[in-house]
Amino acid sequence: MMKDAIEKEIIQLTQAGLPIESRPFLTIARKLNVTEQQVIDIIRSMKQRGIIRRVGCVPNHYAIGYLFNLMTVWDIKDHDIDQVGQAVGELDFVSHCYQRPRHLPDWPYNFFAMVHGTHQEETDSKVQKIKWLIGDSCRQYSTLKSSKILKKTGLRI
């Protein structure tokens, strides 16, 4: 639970994104008549208490030129999933990856990794690098091409 109204105000002021400037927390602080450090401390406290998960950048890949966006889905042997996740997550061209439950018999995939590129050959090459890295831990895989952004929002009040 939120401790007080200022936490709710901070969420309302940041839910559409931080101000794009060198000191965004100072701008928020001035609107709330508190110090920049108080805003930072309150956000840190909300994160520690599980009210928010993270503060991060969420780019629009299409707007920055990445027109080929693939969610790769992999059927990874269960005993290899942690090792595969660590290795794939460290690739500089994977924006995010995660484990999800299979939904057999229709959906055998338990590992997802997102790759982006400016052209088809680039994303195909990245998928092949993941396939090589995973090796025998992968039983099968597929790719799902994004055609639009479906969700790019966080907490909303």
Side-chain angles (χ1 to χ4, degrees), residues 98-157:
Y98 43 88
Q99 180 181 4
R100 289 286 188 258
R102 293 179 178 91
H103 293 282
L104 298 173
D106 299 321
W107 190 258
Y109 308 109
N110 62 338
F111 183 73
F112 296 42
M114 191 75 189
V115 297
H116 309 276
T118 57
H119 54 279
Q120 183 72 49
E121 294 78 17
E122 181 182 3
T123 53
D124 291 346
S125 173
K126 290 174 179 178
V127 171
Q128 290 307 307
K129 288 176 184 175
I130 296 172
K131 183 179 178 192
W132 177 85
L133 179 66
I134 293 173
D136 292 339
S137 295
C138 176
R139 292 184 281 245
Q140 61 181 314
Y141 74 98
S142 188
T143 58
L144 310 169
K145 185 177 185 293
S146 297
S147 59
K148 64 182 178 177
I149 296 173
L150 300 176
K151 181 183 177 206
K152 287 282 185 178
T153 63
L155 176 64
R156 295 282 192 250
I157 294 181

Side-chain angles (χ1 to χ4, degrees), residues 6 23 34 44 47 78 80 82 84 95 106 121 157:
I6 197 161
R23 295 180 69 183
V34 299
R44 184 175 291 126
K47 186 173 183 288
D78 291 332
D80 293 341
D82 290 339
V84 166
S95 63
D106 299 321
E121 294 78 17
I157 294 181

Side-chain angles (χ1 to χ4, degrees), residues 21-102:
E21 51 194 67
S22 63
R23 295 180 69 183
F25 299 118
L26 179 59
T27 299
I28 294 164
R30 287 180 176 151
K31 290 179 181 179
L32 299 174
N33 200 29
V34 299
T35 68
E36 179 181 31
Q37 190 59 51
Q38 284 175 302
V39 170
I40 292 168
D41 291 344
I42 290 167
I43 290 172
R44 184 175 291 126
S45 172
M46 287 192 294
K47 186 173 183 288
Q48 290 169 344
R49 294 183 350 256
I51 293 171
I52 59 174
R53 286 187 294 171
R54 68 182 182 92
V55 175
C57 177
V58 183
N60 177 332
H61 295 97
Y62 296 98
I64 58 177
Y66 291 100
L67 304 178
F68 293 85
N69 305 286
L70 294 178
M71 176 60 74
T72 63
V73 293
W74 308 83
D75 177 11
I76 303 297
K77 296 175 185 175
D78 291 332
H79 57 80
D80 293 341
I81 195 79
D82 290 339
Q83 179 183 345
V84 166
Q86 182 70 36
V88 173
E90 290 176 357
L91 294 171
D92 63 358
F93 59 81
V94 172
S95 63
H96 54 284
C97 66
Y98 43 88
Q99 180 181 4
R100 289 286 188 258
R102 293 179 178 91

